Amino acid sequence: MMVVSNFCYLWSSSFRRLSAHVPQADVALSLLTVAETFTFAASLFYHTSASAASTAVTALLGDLRLAHAAHTRVSPSRLSGGERRRVSIGLALLRDPGVLLLDEPTSGLDSSSAFVVVGCLRAVAAARGTTVVMSIHQPSTRLLSAVDSLLLLSRGTVLHHGSLASFDAALLSHGFAVPAHLNPLEYALEVIDQIPHPSPFSPEPKSAQDHTTKTSDHHRPAMATPPSLSCTSPCSQIHEFVVLYKRAWKVVYRSKQLLLTNFHEAVIVETLLGTIYINAGYGEAGVQKRLGLFAFTLTFLLTSTTETLPTFVTERPIVLAETAAGLYRLSSHATAATMMFIPYLLAVALLYSSCVYFLVGLCPSPGAFTPVELPVLAIGVLESSVT
């Protein structure tokens, strides 16, 4: 593992194929459980083998100590901050990256949760041979004990790259004695402007321990690569559509407030309009009433379609993060979400029209529901008008 202070990433296309990035903000759908979140992502990465996807999810739950929360929803009210952070790390680890980059993974966590997160990262680095690089603010001595290598940057210049013990000696060589109540890195961040910058032509001395670490990292064990990362093209768009369609249905089904609000609104509006325009009749006054009913109906149905927008707004950060990580195409998500909401809005429209249609008295004959007979009726009207 390596800690980097104030680093930036060169995010080239070749580097993105072998690395994964975990942002500081946790991005995961709160209506899905931990196991479902991993399963949906694994079904896209391991699209050629369902058993491999299940094995990867089971191993990930064990490595990140999330087996006890496998069937708990990823919600701030049900999972702790450390558990949600480990879910975000698990989504990145499903790609089995060679390099894992984390942006302040311990920010906002208490000391115990932060130590569990760092401990899981160290275990993952040892078991999977993954190089873990993370930035961190004000680390405790307990967290630094889990770090193998330290990289300190200031204004684009490397001030130190090596072990924590060698860093303590480097500070002492510059005349900075670390106080007893502070660890070397925490003290270095306070006096970083006073540390002399090395010459750009003088190489930084490397300790024997650093050489040993580099040699051992060179022979790290090779890990199996997910099928989606072993080839140049991602999984098919049809497979992405199927997976995202199932996930969208699960999310909408668990949005109880959205479902109840839309269906109750349809019942209330149909009852009000049905009683206002009840038995409109077929005369000139009835035609005017029908036009008013159709205007209110179109307004209600159009308003019902806009009520699905909050769902897209809520999922926007998650979709952007998942598409940036190469999990699926943006067009696949847009198509799946659209096709999912079409039957949902159709059910709302049928519930609305089932009552108001007969209260107003809009052509109760069965022939009105068979569009095959409409051309025959139109021809009969033309013939009668000609004769």
Side-chain angles (χ1 to χ4, degrees):
M1 291 179 58
M2 179 185 295
V3 171
V4 180
S5 179
N6 301 330
F7 67 89
C8 60
Y9 308 121
L10 181 60
W11 203 250
S12 61
S13 58
S14 59
F15 187 67
R16 289 182 62 180
R17 286 195 296 267
L18 58 91
S19 64
H21 173 244
V22 180
Q24 183 176 356
D26 298 321
V27 285
L29 293 173
S30 59
L31 293 176
L32 299 179
T33 64
V34 175
E36 290 171 346
T37 302
F38 288 160
T39 300
F40 280 119
S43 60
L44 293 173
F45 283 130
Y46 300 85
H47 59 278
T48 58
S49 175
S51 61
S54 177
T55 302
V57 171
T58 303
L60 201 59
L61 291 173
D63 293 341
L64 297 177
R65 307 179 192 176
L66 290 173
H68 66 283
H71 302 290
T72 304
R73 294 186 184 181
V74 187
S75 173
S77 60
R78 303 192 180 188
L79 288 183
S80 64
E83 290 171 335
R84 285 185 286 115
R85 188 63 48 85
R86 279 178 275 161
V87 170
S88 300
I89 295 173
L91 291 175
L93 288 176
L94 279 173
R95 300 178 57 186
D96 198 13
V99 180
L100 180 63
L101 304 173
L102 301 103
D103 184 12
E104 302 179 20
T106 59
S107 295
L109 304 180
D110 57 87
S111 58
S112 178
S113 299
F115 184 73
V116 171
V117 170
V118 175
C120 291
L121 290 174
R122 184 172 180 82
V124 166
R128 305 189 177 208
T130 303
T131 301
V132 179
V133 183
M134 65 178 182
S135 63
I136 191 169
H137 288 303
Q138 296 180 344
S140 63
T141 305
R142 193 182 183 191
L143 293 182
L144 287 179
S145 62
V147 174
D148 299 320
S149 182
L150 174 68
L151 176 61
L152 182 65
L153 301 179
S154 176
R155 301 174 185 175
T157 304
V158 178
L159 297 183
H160 177 77
H161 183 200
S163 63
L164 188 61
S166 62
F167 181 53
D168 196 357
L171 287 177
L172 191 60
S173 65
H174 292 300
F176 297 99
V178 181
H181 62 280
L182 294 177
N183 59 62
L185 183 56
E186 189 176 1
Y187 178 67
L189 293 177
E190 295 181 0
V191 299
I192 193 170
D193 294 332
Q194 305 175 27
I195 300 176
H197 287 205
S199 173
F201 299 101
S202 60
E204 182 186 1
K206 297 290 183 179
S207 62
Q209 184 178 356
D210 297 337
H211 179 73
T212 304
T213 304
K214 182 181 292 186
T215 305
S216 62
D217 289 343
H218 179 71
H219 299 285
R220 72 182 185 91
M223 303 297 291
T225 310
S228 60
L229 300 180
S230 59
C231 55
T232 55
S233 60
C235 61
S236 64
Q237 199 161 4
I238 297 178
H239 181 75
E240 292 177 356
F241 170 79
V242 173
V243 173
L244 293 173
Y245 187 83
K246 292 179 180 178
R247 187 177 76 168
W249 261 118
K250 195 176 289 290
V251 170
V252 171
Y253 176 75
R254 292 177 180 176
S255 302
K256 303 298 183 182
Q257 294 179 349
L258 178 64
L259 292 172
L260 293 176
T261 300
N262 287 344
F263 286 115
H264 286 172
E265 184 180 17
V267 172
I268 293 174
V269 172
E270 75 177 8
T271 304
L272 291 177
L273 292 180
T275 53
I276 292 174
Y277 297 100
I278 189 171
N279 297 327
Y282 296 94
E284 183 177 355
V287 173
Q288 297 296 328
K289 291 181 179 180
R290 283 181 171 83
L291 291 178
L293 172 67
F294 294 153
F296 279 114
T297 299
L298 290 176
T299 303
F300 168 72
L301 294 179
L302 290 176
T303 305
S304 300
T305 59
T306 59
E307 291 178 355
T308 60
L309 290 178
T311 304
F312 289 96
V313 174
T314 304
E315 295 182 0
R316 183 177 182 273
I318 301 173
V319 172
L320 293 178
E322 291 175 342
T323 53
L327 189 60
Y328 52 81
R329 302 174 181 88
L330 183 60
S331 58
S332 300
H333 178 271
T335 305
T338 302
M339 295 303 295
M340 184 275 304
F341 273 112
I342 286 178
Y344 172 76
L345 295 175
L346 179 61
V348 175
L350 291 177
L351 178 63
Y352 165 80
S353 59
S354 61
C355 181
V356 73
Y357 190 92
F358 299 101
L359 281 176
V360 178
L362 296 177
C363 193
S365 64
F369 300 93
T370 56
V372 180
E373 297 184 6
L374 290 179
V376 179
L377 295 176
I379 293 175
V381 172
L382 289 175
E383 291 178 352
S384 62
S385 61
V386 172
T387 57

